[in-house]
Amino acid sequence: SIPRNLGSGAPETVLASIAGKYSAVYAYDASDMADPWKSYTPGIPGGDLTSISHRMGLWIRMTEAATLTVDGDMPTTTSIPLYEGWNLVGYPAGMARAVPTALTSIAGKYTLVYEYDPGAAGGPWRSYSPAVPDFANTLQQMHPGYGYWVRVTEDCTLMVGW
């Protein structure tokens, strides 16, 4: 995810620092039940991912290793609307926080959280469920710059603060 308010959300602008090093970008918009997956492919018109924001979680298909650098203001508080079922969201905060602390605003409304980190020891997927003992959760903290799959039981709003 992009943990900053962006001046321009145009994908080619936001991703300029990794131009030529990725082949596609995907986002999941749970508010669009008919077509939730949005995509942008550089150089190919017609993609439906036309704007990137700090509220989004992104899948970027890299063709080589690169570091994404973005400019923008650090948000103080961000409201992220969530829709019943799965949501792919960003975590625009100033620091890592324990999952229950990071998700205080939706306590009792989420059932599962996933994080994907391809470089993580032990495998790329980590998960957190409030229904299991803490030792059984492989995801302990949410980190700025990561995207998260969050499953909620009802429409609600996640508040992320610095």
Side-chain angles (χ1 to χ4, degrees):
S1 70
I2 314 270
R4 295 178 180 266
N5 284 321
L6 305 169
S8 167
E12 60 275 5
T13 302
V14 173
L15 305 172
S17 66
I18 59 171
K21 298 177 182 174
Y22 69 97
S23 61
V25 181
Y26 302 94
Y28 187 85
D29 180 359
S31 72
D32 184 353
M33 295 177 74
D35 181 23
W37 283 103
K38 307 301 176 196
S39 66
Y40 169 76
T41 304
I44 299 179
D48 53 2
L49 178 59
T50 57
S51 184
I52 293 174
S53 87
H54 63 291
R55 291 175 176 86
M56 298 174 152
L58 302 169
W59 285 95
I60 302 176
R61 184 183 306 146
M62 300 298 295
T63 56
E64 63 183 90
T67 300
L68 177 63
T69 305
V70 295
D71 291 323
D73 299 325
M74 298 295 206
T76 53
T77 303
T78 301
S79 309
I80 303 174
L82 303 178
Y83 300 89
E84 182 178 350
W86 287 104
N87 297 264
L88 179 57
V89 300
Y91 184 64
M95 68 178 93
R97 291 188 176 91
V99 176
T101 302
L103 301 180
T104 298
S105 63
I106 60 168
K109 298 176 184 174
Y110 68 95
T111 58
L112 199 52
V113 180
Y114 281 108
E115 172 191 85
Y116 182 81
D117 181 351
W125 288 101
R126 293 189 185 112
S127 64
Y128 179 88
S129 170
V132 302
D134 195 47
F135 70 84
N137 286 309
T138 54
L139 177 62
Q140 296 295 317
Q141 291 191 318
M142 294 179 74
H143 299 270
Y146 281 73
Y148 293 91
W149 284 103
V150 180
R151 183 168 186 181
V152 295
T153 56
E154 62 187 73
D155 292 359
C156 54
T157 301
L158 173 62
M159 298 300 294
V160 179
W162 267 73

